[in-house]
Amino acid sequence: MPARTVVIALGGNAILQHRETGTAEEQFANVQKASRRIVEIAGEGYAVVVTHGNGPQVGDILLKNEIAKDTLPPMPLDVCGAESQGMIGYMLQQSLQEALREAGLDRPVATVLTRTLVDGDDPAFENPTKPIGPFYTAMQARRLEAEKGWRMVQIPGQGYRRAVPSPRPVALVEEWVIVRLLSAGAIVIAAGGGGVPVVADGRGALRGVEAVVDKDYTAALLASLVGAEDLLILTDVERVALNYGRPDQEEIDEMTVREARRHLAAGQFPPGTMGPKIEAAVGFLEAGGKRAVIASLNDASRALDGRAGTRIRP
Amino acid sequence: MPARTVVIALGGNAILQHRETGTAEEQFANVQKASRRIVEIAGEGYAVVVTHGNGPQVGDILLKNEIAKDTLPPMPLDVCGAESQGMIGYMLQQSLQEALREAGLDRPVATVLTRTLVDGDDPAFENPTKPIGPFYTAMQARRLEAEKGWRMVQIPGQGYRRAVPSPRPVALVEEWVIVRLLSAGAIVIAAGGGGVPVVADGRGALRGVEAVVDKDYTAALLASLVGAEDLLILTDVERVALNYGRPDQEEIDEMTVREARRHLAAGQFPPGTMGPKIEAAVGFLEAGGKRAVIASLNDASRALDGRAGTRIRP
């Protein structure tokens, strides 16, 4: 049995970058690169759970639904999220298995289609903040607000987008499945895009909701549920920085939960980007995790060895 | 542990019927109905694997890709198939879990994103026969043949469609995952749409191919791999019939593999509809299965009790 368990959270941009057009070839090439980094870690003896963002992919699926809407009924966001888990899970399964083969390792790989339980009373439902899908003109935005009750937000210089709630993850419905497969020795791909958000009614029946759970918060919960020692959040910067983008910018090698909380309170980490990653790391460590590391994809393996990225400890 | 294992194959039309427009609501309503039938069977003590068609769903995904193709690059068929597994798996997971709850049963439910290994030398690759996706005009069809190398077939009175190869399933890449979860007590949803077809190159690397594996053949292989005693193929007729649609039509309650083979050879079961179901049933029984039943969705539970449908025995 592997000595340690790590949950690796891949940013959606590790699979499809902003400047790319979104072909399957581009995405496979990116996923193959990420998979080789993940397999390096598996080869060091870690039990591995992979989770991933889905922003660019679910954005494309939503846009295709929008463009085709006079011909075919658009699918709601929960269904599109499940589609994106199938799409990205498949690309990861293929690429991880190939990277394992190249490395001479023999481990099963499994994608677990995951639902994330959220609280129907989460205040996020009163205040949708997460922009998703295509851009609209002001006139279209007003019509969508009236017709569908969507909350629209203006993105300066780019138009209007739908904003959906981003509630906190409470539980993973497929926890049992993930734990079973992981302890049997598989590399498990789970909770893509933060998982498909579902709420429970008074009787316990689950219903999908049009919301997006932040994938880093879900990664932290997932790491706690599988008893992972390490949470590795991969992104497109090499280290967390203080005073980011200013002349006195200062990269952090290591910090404690207490220091991270202090920087968060001081507004050092913006809500849309680094903030959720730091909060996720802090949440994981406060729930008993041993180490959280934020690093760039290329440094993944070195980051777990303590030679790259920003480490946060309890 | 359950006494017997059954693989239940749901037709794509059990999830989205021809006359329906394809909204998520329609599909959820159909899947809920199917899930109650499946849970009746689980409640009788069976270990259950569910597999399903994806024709209408992947057709809609392909058409959305086609309509949006000037804005976003269309995904290849293997990726669209994986998307449809995510979409349908999610709807089944939600609905099965709710049906279990209503029935007072406590069993985990898991969707396993499944790849089906096919033989790159399968003669089907030389002769694409399976029509998929949207209809085209004759002029569009000629252009697609020239530009993309697609094989186009004419559907009388409706236009042209792309035809892709329909190779036989050789193995399920995710066999280990499916068996693990099933023997641990889960209801497993697997190999949707026949599984995403992949071929292995000389080194053993897997590559997705633009093909469709018949979901009934995959169901039969799946049933053999999990050691199921029973294969239940659910469709929209109550029984298999001889001389179908003629004045001397005769419904069959039960037949042997030998009788089924004789009727197949006599051309009683058309290739596009009942033929593959009978061939799948025969293949399963010849590989050691105890019983195959072809029945309508509404009769699912009674069919396994021997009170409905057409039973085929070794």
Side-chain angles (χ1 to χ4, degrees):
Chain A
M1 284 298 296
R4 257 175 115 100
T5 298
V6 60
V7 169
I8 303 176
L10 285 178
N13 297 337
I15 306 167
L16 180 59
Q17 288 161 26
H18 289 306
R19 57 181 166 72
E20 294 175 320
T21 54
T23 63
E25 289 74 18
E26 284 167 344
Q27 299 193 52
F28 265 112
N30 292 329
V31 169
Q32 279 158 5
K33 211 168 74 176
S35 294
R36 283 192 282 267
R37 299 287 89 78
I38 293 167
V39 165
E40 281 173 17
I41 292 169
E44 290 171 18
Y46 281 91
V48 175
V49 181
V50 180
T51 186
H52 58 83
N54 70 345
Q57 292 78 15
V58 85
D60 280 3
I61 292 173
L62 288 165
L63 181 51
K64 287 175 183 176
N65 273 273
E66 172 72 21
I67 293 173
K69 72 173 188 299
D70 294 333
T71 306
L72 289 169
M75 290 292 124
L77 183 55
D78 54 333
V79 173
C80 294
E83 279 185 60
S84 78
Q85 283 192 34
M87 170 195 276
I88 301 171
Y90 165 61
M91 295 192 290
L92 274 167
Q93 257 169 264
Q94 288 279 80
S95 305
L96 281 170
Q97 194 170 340
E98 176 57 11
L100 285 164
R101 201 189 58 74
E102 284 173 357
L105 295 173
D106 186 19
R107 289 223 209 152
V109 180
T111 299
V112 177
L113 188 67
T114 309
R115 293 166 292 167
T116 299
L117 184 71
V118 300
D119 184 348
D121 293 329
D122 191 304
F125 285 105
E126 298 300 313
N127 181 29
T129 55
K130 174 81 184 167
I132 58 154
F135 287 90
Y136 298 93
T137 65
M139 202 170 74
Q140 288 172 320
R142 275 195 302 274
R143 190 172 48 74
L144 289 165
E145 281 181 325
E147 278 177 17
K148 302 204 181 187
W150 287 2
R151 175 79 60 99
M152 306 300 291
V153 292
Q154 187 172 11
I155 314 289
Q158 296 187 82
Y160 291 78
R161 288 178 88 186
R162 181 181 181 193
V164 296
S166 188
R168 293 296 178 118
V170 173
L172 300 183
V173 184
E174 281 71 29
E175 175 186 350
W176 179 93
V177 180
I178 297 164
V179 169
R180 277 274 158 178
L181 292 174
L182 183 68
S183 42
I187 294 182
V188 180
I189 302 154
V196 178
V198 297
V199 295
D201 71 11
R203 300 167 303 127
L206 301 180
R207 185 173 51 79
V209 288
E210 296 209 278
V212 170
V213 183
D214 183 280
K215 76 116 185 22
D216 293 312
Y217 293 149
T218 299
L221 175 62
L222 176 59
S224 298
L225 295 177
V226 303
E229 285 84 359
D230 298 299
L231 171 62
L232 176 56
I233 297 177
L234 297 176
T235 179
D236 41 14
V237 298
E238 289 186 9
R239 278 189 194 78
V240 178
L242 297 176
N243 310 321
Y244 182 75
R246 299 206 315 235
D248 57 345
Q249 175 173 323
E250 184 191 338
E251 294 196 339
I252 306 173
D253 277 329
E254 186 167 88
M255 62 183 159
T256 62
V257 162
R258 181 192 294 253
E259 288 165 336
R261 278 213 171 281
R262 204 177 63 227
H263 296 318
L264 273 171
Q268 281 282 356
F269 311 124
T273 57
M274 196 51 84
K277 295 183 203 313
I278 305 284
E279 281 189 38
V282 164
F284 165 66
L285 295 168
E286 288 180 343
K290 299 278 180 289
R291 191 174 48 153
V293 187
I294 298 171
S296 83
L297 177 59
N298 289 330
D299 290 336
S301 161
R302 298 196 317 126
L304 266 193
D305 292 343
R307 291 180 292 137
T310 297
R311 291 170 302 288
I312 310 174
R313 41 189 184 77
Chain B
M1 284 300 295
R4 257 175 114 98
T5 298
V6 59
V7 169
I8 302 176
L10 284 178
N13 298 336
I15 305 167
L16 181 58
Q17 288 161 24
H18 288 306
R19 57 181 167 71
E20 295 176 321
T21 55
T23 65
E25 290 74 17
E26 284 167 343
Q27 298 194 52
F28 265 111
N30 292 329
V31 169
Q32 279 157 7
K33 213 169 73 176
S35 294
R36 283 193 284 267
R37 298 288 89 79
I38 293 167
V39 165
E40 281 172 16
I41 291 169
E44 289 171 19
Y46 282 90
V48 175
V49 181
V50 180
T51 185
H52 59 82
N54 71 344
Q57 292 78 15
V58 85
D60 280 4
I61 292 172
L62 287 166
L63 181 52
K64 286 175 182 174
N65 273 274
E66 171 72 22
I67 293 173
K69 71 174 190 298
D70 293 333
T71 307
L72 289 168
M75 290 292 125
L77 183 55
D78 55 332
V79 173
C80 294
E83 279 186 59
S84 78
Q85 284 192 33
M87 170 195 277
I88 301 171
Y90 165 61
M91 295 193 288
L92 273 167
Q93 256 169 265
Q94 288 279 81
S95 305
L96 281 170
Q97 195 170 340
E98 177 58 9
L100 286 164
R101 201 190 58 75
E102 285 173 359
L105 294 173
D106 186 20
R107 289 223 209 151
V109 180
T111 299
V112 177
L113 187 68
T114 309
R115 292 167 292 165
T116 299
L117 183 69
V118 300
D119 184 348
D121 293 328
D122 191 305
F125 285 106
E126 298 300 313
N127 181 29
T129 55
K130 174 82 184 165
I132 58 155
F135 287 89
Y136 299 94
T137 64
M139 202 170 77
Q140 287 172 321
R142 276 195 301 273
R143 192 172 46 75
L144 289 166
E145 282 182 326
E147 278 178 15
K148 301 203 181 187
W150 287 2
R151 175 79 59 102
M152 306 300 290
V153 291
Q154 186 172 12
I155 314 288
Q158 295 186 85
Y160 291 79
R161 288 178 89 186
R162 179 180 182 194
V164 296
S166 187
R168 294 295 177 116
V170 172
L172 300 183
V173 184
E174 280 73 28
E175 175 185 350
W176 179 93
V177 181
I178 296 165
V179 169
R180 278 272 159 181
L181 293 174
L182 183 68
S183 42
I187 294 182
V188 180
I189 301 154
V196 178
V198 297
V199 294
D201 69 12
R203 299 167 304 127
L206 301 180
R207 183 174 53 80
V209 288
E210 295 208 278
V212 170
V213 183
D214 183 279
K215 76 116 183 25
D216 294 311
Y217 293 150
T218 300
L221 175 62
L222 176 59
S224 298
L225 294 177
V226 302
E229 285 83 1
D230 298 298
L231 171 62
L232 177 57
I233 298 178
L234 297 176
T235 177
D236 40 15
V237 297
E238 289 186 9
R239 277 189 194 80
V240 178
L242 297 177
N243 310 321
Y244 182 76
R246 299 208 314 236
D248 57 342
Q249 175 172 326
E250 184 191 338
E251 295 196 337
I252 305 171
D253 278 329
E254 187 167 88
M255 59 182 162
T256 62
V257 162
R258 182 191 295 251
E259 288 165 336
R261 279 214 171 280
R262 206 179 57 227
H263 296 318
L264 274 170
Q268 281 284 355
F269 311 124
T273 57
M274 195 52 82
K277 296 184 204 312
I278 305 283
E279 281 189 38
V282 164
F284 166 65
L285 295 169
E286 289 181 341
K290 299 277 183 288
R291 193 173 46 153
V293 188
I294 298 171
S296 84
L297 177 59
N298 290 330
D299 291 335
S301 161
R302 298 196 317 126
L304 266 193
D305 293 343
R307 291 181 292 135
T310 297
R311 291 171 301 289
I312 309 173
R313 36 185 189 79

